[in-house]
Amino acid sequence: MRAAWFEDRFPVTGALPARSHLRTDAPAVSLDGQWRFRLSPHAHAPREQLAADHDDSAWERIAVPGHWQLQHPREFSRPAYTNVTYPFPLDPPRVPEENPTGDHRRRFTLPPGEGRVVLRFEGVDSAFEAHVDGTPVGRSVGSRLPVELDVTDALDPERDEHVLAVRVHQWSSASYLEDQDMWWLSGIFRSVTVLRRPPRGIDDVHVHAGWADGTGTLRVEVATRDGAAARVLVPELSLDLAAGEEVSVAAEPWSAESPRLYDAEVVTPGERVRLRVGFRTVAVVDGVFTVNGRPVTLHGVNRHEFHPDRGRAVTRQDVVDDVLLMKRHHVDAVRTSHYPPHPEFLDLCDEHGLYVVDECDLETHGFVEVDWRQNPSDDARWERACVDRMTRTVERDKNHACVVLWSLGNESGTGANLSAMARWAKDRDPSRPLHYEHDWNYPDSDVHSTMYASHEQVAAILAGDGAHEGKPYLQCEYAHAMGNGPGGLAEYQELFDSSDRCMGGFVWEWIDHGLRLPGGGFGYGGDFGERLHDGNFVADGLVLPDRTPSPGLLDYAHVVSPARFSVEETPSGDLLRLTNRYAFTVLLDGSSSLRLDVADDGGLVLSTTAEVGPLAPGESVLVELPDDLPPGRPDAERVLTATVVTAAASPHAPAGHALGSGQVVLAPAPERAVPSGAPLRRRGGDLLLGPAAFDARTGDLLRVGDLPVSGFALDLWRAPTDNDRGVHGDRVEPAWRALRLDDLRTRTALVEEGEDFLRVAVRVAPPGGDTGFAATFTWTASEDEDGGALGLRVEVAPERELGAPLPRLGVRLRLPRHLADVAWYGRGPGEAYADTGLATRLGRWSGTVDGWQTPYVRPQENGRRAGVRVLDLTGAGPGLRVEGVPEIGVSARRWSTADLERTAHAHELREDGSVHLHLDVAQHGIGTGSCGPGALPQHRLDAAPAAFALVLRPLAG
């Protein structure tokens, strides 16, 4: 049987030469909107459906841009997620007979004016053929790449309204080149436009705008029609140049910190093209990545294009939302993983200031599962297709100042075709370095790039172990942001800042790809009937699917903030040191200021602005205490918070936006005592101690004041996080499961009644083994007119070496559901663990039990508040105060750990009529083990003898 056209390795026909994405005054008609649509389960849909006069009145309607799996899902074509594995047999370039095919039809009128008529498709997944008025006009592949078709000769002159029919196949030869870690979604998912190409118009523009030593250079190459002469106008610089003429000019440079752009026009008798020109030079100098002659560290994210309802059919507003969120959180760089983005994204990166690694639409990762046999990257028959993808990437995006590196693609092994792509790109655009990570000899990359290298490995690379001469070092993917986490961000950034040779890194990734489910919440792999899938590995972003910032994004913003604070020991005590981590921008020069807030036990006693600055890039200063600082209370903890804030609003943030903050304890609080002195009394079957009642037989805590309490127990387990599970990285959960820490049983060994104490000794152990933990709970109390206080001292010891860390160490109890509100003095407002919560600050905070929950797409341990000195749980009834001695970690939720662990989606969690309170002295670190290293040694919770204490006080309702 003869292969179908879409099984050719390079089946593109009728396409015009690739060119820039241009803003022009030439007439155009957008075809975005409602189209007629019919979906077939195979590629052999009737050809008459492409005819001009075919009756499509009974067809469904579909929104373009859009994916049919999200608008018209069928049993044979639903959303499907795989990370590496191709969802069809590896038989390149052939694809399965089961090849869902969508016919799209739209009527349109021509743009006014003269000239050729061109159809421009910005993105179609994965292969399509187009017919105009029943005449075939072209075929193309390359899902995230534009293609233009000249349709002039196909237009029926007898028609006032023309018919465009587009047949899209889900699978094609191109699918072998597009095995990115994302949902498999099909259709016309970017805009379609009908263009007039006027006589004596502009075919393409190539801007060359460099900057060095205070001077900009400008040369604009212009390809015109019919030999038309072109001029280049930059009014702000008083420039009126012939195309191709090079000039030097006193221009301000462009950088991500100061994204200075100049409006320009290219003019011919037939057309005007508007440009925004940024003068900047990127180069690798002596192994250091530089922008405008200065070393630059990238604080980046990997960004897939995604919306929970529309998939990759993102709108301009989605793009704006992403850019503004990034800028507000100090992200200054984006890797467009793993394809060129929506064209307006780069316009906004130019405007707002983001460095971009623009990646070609190429990934063949699934061939790793067959030892890279038949990998298209090293098969000469695929060279044309690979080079074409690089050509269309570079040509479309070459005029953007924000693009500082081209990337050949992602995880495509090694091979001659990558080298051919690199040669073409270097020849076409020698002004930008090239990036490619997956060939670790780096013959085609100007950058030494790794993924998920551990802290130890990064340190070794920067020390010269395995270094590649003359190449800067980059972590193109690190700190896998899946679920709760990532941890270890501060330690990574410390390494990145230790060497100019390190150009930084890109967190994986920006957004959770959770598709909205009909019943609410967000779905992941397996939720749409896929037999082959990779579960929730697609939910690994710094923002949730609805673009709500996760605690991980707040941590990242703190770690990469340009105003960095560190605590420094001085003869007069601990003080803060402020360092300007910008590459170009001066801090505290009037455009920003240093605000100092001093609080006693969270109560503000002084707020002032420090007279410090200006601070040049790289400079630091010790933050002195205010002269008018009032004396502190001897019983209060005094804390200084320093924040650098902007003086004026910017396009992405209001005035007063924080550029960085830090805290230092100036005077620690006196150690809190555990209450004692109240006598232990019997009343029936209960033991009474201060405000509390206990079961005389078992020693179980029954009540604190008027508040019923149940389920008090040693707490060693947490609902495993994605990073605990270690899908593709370090794994700690299997060791916990092997020890059966999720199934601990308690045996009461002793209930000892003293005159003023109650001591309960228990053994906690899993079934099937002889390893356990001995725990002793010693209760004491005091009595006063406010209801008294109950003290608890806990001593815990493992009976033998476990060979694995503990998930957590603490106690848990169950409280009535009316306790809905929380107020605390401790770290906040968000969650924090041993190696996360970097953005939290010590202060007074309030919220609700429901608001404490972080709705990670797949439920897991979350919501812990750290460093809690005092917590009040209140509601429509008696309440409870918890005091740490000196501090404690707290979680409160309306479901048990077991329910949290076994529930598949956040929206499926159901309250069980109680508030489950977890009070822990420590938890194992979070790490980034879902794809990378686990918790660092200093953040492990190793099993060892331990002791801690806390206080419980009743609160009136």
Side-chain angles (χ1 to χ4, degrees), residues 14-16 116-119 137 148-154 225:
L16 296 171
R116 307 292 291 181
V117 178
V118 170
L119 271 175
V137 292
E148 292 184 329
L149 307 172
D150 188 327
V151 303
T152 311
D153 296 338
R225 289 175 171 263

Side-chain angles (χ1 to χ4, degrees), residues 397-653:
D397 297 342
K398 59 183 177 286
N399 294 327
H400 288 282
C402 65
V403 176
V404 295
L405 288 92
W406 301 115
S407 179
L408 300 179
N410 184 65
E411 293 175 324
S412 295
T414 64
N417 295 338
L418 295 165
S419 297
M421 295 166 67
R423 286 193 301 271
W424 183 91
K426 281 289 190 183
D427 182 64
R428 179 63 172 135
D429 179 30
S431 72
R432 294 176 173 96
L434 279 181
H435 169 268
Y436 183 67
E437 177 270 340
H438 216 235
D439 186 338
W440 298 297
N441 291 317
Y442 302 106
D444 303 311
S445 177
D446 297 310
V447 174
H448 175 191
S449 179
T450 64
M451 290 184 181
Y452 307 108
S454 68
H455 301 77
E456 184 180 18
Q457 291 167 328
V458 172
I461 290 170
L462 294 177
D465 183 6
H468 291 263
E469 290 295 327
K471 295 186 178 183
Y473 174 65
L474 176 72
Q475 276 260 58
C476 69
E477 294 179 21
Y478 82 108
H480 197 256
M482 186 176 179
N484 187 337
L489 284 172
E491 292 83 358
Y492 269 124
Q493 196 60 43
E494 183 178 352
L495 287 166
F496 294 169
D497 290 341
S498 69
S499 170
D500 278 349
R501 199 180 138 256
C502 184
M503 58 186 288
F506 295 86
V507 168
W508 186 269
E509 64 167 309
W510 174 243
I511 189 168
D512 284 346
H513 304 211
L515 289 171
R516 202 181 308 274
L517 295 169
F522 301 105
Y524 47 80
D527 286 333
F528 300 93
E530 318 101 293
R531 295 178 62 186
L532 180 69
H533 64 85
D534 285 298
N536 70 315
F537 201 67
V538 77
D540 48 11
L542 290 170
V543 297
L544 304 181
D546 61 1
R547 285 176 166 76
T548 299
S550 76
L553 178 59
L554 304 183
D555 278 1
Y556 191 52
H558 178 80
V559 166
V560 303
S561 58
R564 309 272 180 93
F565 289 89
S566 57
V567 177
E568 184 170 315
E569 293 183 12
T570 74
S572 57
D574 289 349
L575 293 177
L576 289 171
R577 178 170 291 279
L578 166 62
T579 301
N580 180 358
R581 293 299 302 167
Y582 276 127
F584 304 98
T585 305
V586 176
L587 286 177
L588 311 182
D589 62 345
S591 63
S592 58
S593 60
L594 177 60
R595 190 181 70 217
L596 302 180
D597 296 315
V598 180
D600 288 346
D601 283 348
L604 189 66
V605 297
L606 178 68
S607 183
T608 187
T609 299
E611 298 299 325
V612 181
L615 204 61
E619 289 186 346
S620 66
V621 64
L622 203 62
V623 178
E624 301 290 344
L625 298 181
D627 294 332
D628 53 349
L629 187 63
R633 303 196 322 263
D635 62 340
E637 180 177 34
R638 172 158 284 188
V639 175
L640 169 68
T641 302
T643 310
V644 175
V645 296
T646 58
S650 71
H652 56 269

